[in-house]
Amino acid sequence: MPTQHPRQRLLNGFCRLHRLLVRAYPAQFRQEFRDELIVTYRDYASDRLRDDGLGAAISLLLSTIGDWLHTLGTARRDASTTVLCLTGRDTRVAAFAGEQTVALLLASLGVLLMLTGWVQWVRHEADLFRHYSYQEIALNRSGTERGRVLMKRAGPMLPSTQQGAKTGQVAP
Amino acid sequence: MTPRTTDVDDLLPLTPPVFHILVALSDRERHGYSIMRQVSVETDGRLALGPGTLYGCLKRMLTAGLVEESDERPDPELDDERRRYYRITDLGARVVRAEAKRLSEAVSAARAKRLLPRKATGE
C-alpha cells in the first residue's frame, strides 16, 4: 500500500474534522448543502495547505473553527426564524445574537470548569483532613506559603506527628 | 416558506459577503469555491469567505431570489458531480446595481467632505 504524502494526510485529517463539524449544522441546511460543503472545503483546505508548515495548518484550523461557529450561529437562527437576513441591519442583529450565543456558551463552559475544579479541590482537601491530622498536613506543606500559614495556626507539633515526620509517614 | 420581496430597497443595504457574491456572479455563473476565490481576488484578500459562511449566504440569497441554481456545467472535464453552479437573477442584478450606486454616493459624499482624495483628472 503506497504511503501518503504528509500534506495529503493532513488534508484528509482536516476533511474528516470538517465532516464531523458539518454534522452539527441544522438538518435542513445539512441536507441541502452537505455534499457541496464537503467538496468546497476540500478545495479550500487544499489551497490553504499548499504552503507547508505548522503555520498554514494552524491558520486553517482557526479559520475552520471560526467559520463553523459563525455558520452554526446563523444557520440555527435561520432554521428557527423566518427573518430574511440579507440587509446590514438584520445581519447586525443576527451577528450580535450569534456572538452572544457563542460568548454565553464559552462563559458557561468556563464557569463549569471553574466549579468542577473547585469541587475537586474541596473533595481533595476533605479527603486529606479525613485521613490526616491538621498538624500532619501543615507539616507536609511547610515548604509552601500556605503550609507556613497552616503551621502557624496549628501551633506546636504533637510528639507522634513529629515522629511520623521523621520517618516520612506524613500526608502526601 | 419565506415570502420573496421584489422591492430592491427592502433588501438594501447588503452585507459585504452578499454584495461581493453578487458581484462575483455578475459576469458568469460559478460554483462555490470559484465564488470564494473570486471574492478574495476582488477584495485583495480582505474578505475571505469560509465554506460555511458562503453557503449560509447562498441559502438566504436563493430564498430571496437573488441567485438561482444553474443546470449547466461549464467545465465538464474538471467538474465534480456534487458541485452546483449558481447564477445571478434579474432581481439580484438590480439589487447589486442599487447597492453599488448607494456605495458610490457614499464615496462621493466622503470626497465632498475631503475624507477621501479627489478622483484623478487625467492630467
Side-chain angles (χ1 to χ4, degrees):
Chain A
M1 189 174 165
T3 55
Q4 285 182 322
H5 189 275
R7 197 169 60 195
Q8 186 61 38
R9 277 209 305 269
L10 194 60
L11 177 63
N12 290 341
F14 269 107
C15 289
R16 273 198 297 274
L17 170 70
H18 182 252
R19 277 198 293 272
L20 281 176
L21 294 178
V22 165
R23 286 185 187 186
Y25 290 152
Q28 195 195 350
F29 182 68
R30 210 172 52 232
Q31 281 163 12
E32 207 170 340
F33 294 106
R34 184 182 177 276
D35 288 347
E36 273 186 280
L37 274 166
I38 288 169
V39 173
T40 304
Y41 182 80
R42 176 165 276 276
D43 292 342
Y44 169 71
S46 177
D47 255 11
R48 295 286 298 265
L49 291 174
R50 194 170 289 161
D51 301 325
D52 280 327
L54 192 63
I58 290 172
S59 164
L60 177 61
L61 180 66
L62 291 177
S63 62
T64 300
I65 301 286
D67 183 55
W68 176 69
L69 283 173
H70 179 261
T71 308
L72 198 62
T74 53
R76 284 199 184 281
R77 189 205 60 246
D78 286 353
S80 61
T81 65
T82 56
V83 176
L84 178 61
C85 180
L86 284 168
T87 66
R89 184 190 55 214
D90 289 343
T91 305
R92 277 196 300 279
V93 174
F96 179 65
E99 284 162 11
Q100 265 192 333
T101 308
V102 172
L104 199 64
L105 280 172
L106 289 175
S108 307
L109 184 66
V111 170
L112 190 70
L113 285 172
M114 275 172 57
L115 281 175
T116 309
W118 184 74
V119 167
Q120 288 293 325
W121 178 79
V122 168
R123 275 186 183 173
H124 175 73
E125 291 290 302
D127 218 31
L128 273 181
F129 278 95
R130 200 176 301 135
H131 292 97
Y132 300 100
S133 72
Y134 197 77
Q135 283 84 0
E136 283 174 323
I137 295 168
L139 178 65
N140 193 46
R141 291 176 176 173
S142 59
T144 64
E145 186 60 34
R146 182 167 163 71
R148 277 192 285 279
V149 173
L150 284 173
M151 288 281 277
K152 202 172 172 184
R153 282 190 200 160
M157 299 298 293
L158 297 174
S160 63
T161 310
Q162 283 173 329
Q163 195 178 359
K166 280 175 192 168
T167 55
Q169 296 170 347
V170 290
Chain B
M1 178 81 185
T2 309
R4 286 187 181 187
T5 177
T6 50
D7 191 352
V8 170
D9 290 337
D10 285 352
L11 297 170
L12 300 183
L14 298 177
T15 60
V18 170
F19 175 71
H20 285 289
I21 290 170
L22 287 174
V23 171
L25 292 173
S26 61
D27 56 348
R28 66 183 177 93
E29 54 192 52
R30 293 174 188 274
H31 57 72
Y33 189 58
S34 172
I35 296 172
M36 283 168 67
R37 276 191 309 188
Q38 185 63 22
V39 168
S40 181
V41 167
E42 277 168 9
T43 59
D44 285 334
R46 280 191 289 272
L47 181 63
L49 295 175
T53 308
L54 172 75
Y55 285 103
C57 287
L58 280 175
K59 185 178 190 302
R60 294 194 295 274
M61 291 164 80
L62 284 164
T63 309
L66 298 182
V67 295
E68 61 190 4
E69 202 180 316
S70 165
D71 294 329
E72 293 174 28
R73 296 285 182 271
D75 301 314
E77 289 178 5
L78 303 172
D79 210 3
D80 185 314
E81 62 180 1
R82 290 175 294 180
R83 276 195 213 289
R84 281 187 282 180
Y85 283 70
Y86 299 92
R87 67 176 163 225
I88 195 166
T89 60
D90 288 342
L91 175 63
R94 277 190 285 137
V95 167
V96 75
R97 263 190 230 111
E99 177 69 354
K101 187 167 176 282
R102 191 188 68 81
L103 292 173
S104 170
E105 285 166 1
V107 170
S108 297
R111 282 216 171 93
K113 298 281 185 189
R114 300 187 180 192
L115 296 170
L116 286 171
R118 295 216 170 261
K119 275 184 192 171
T121 53
E123 289 172 2

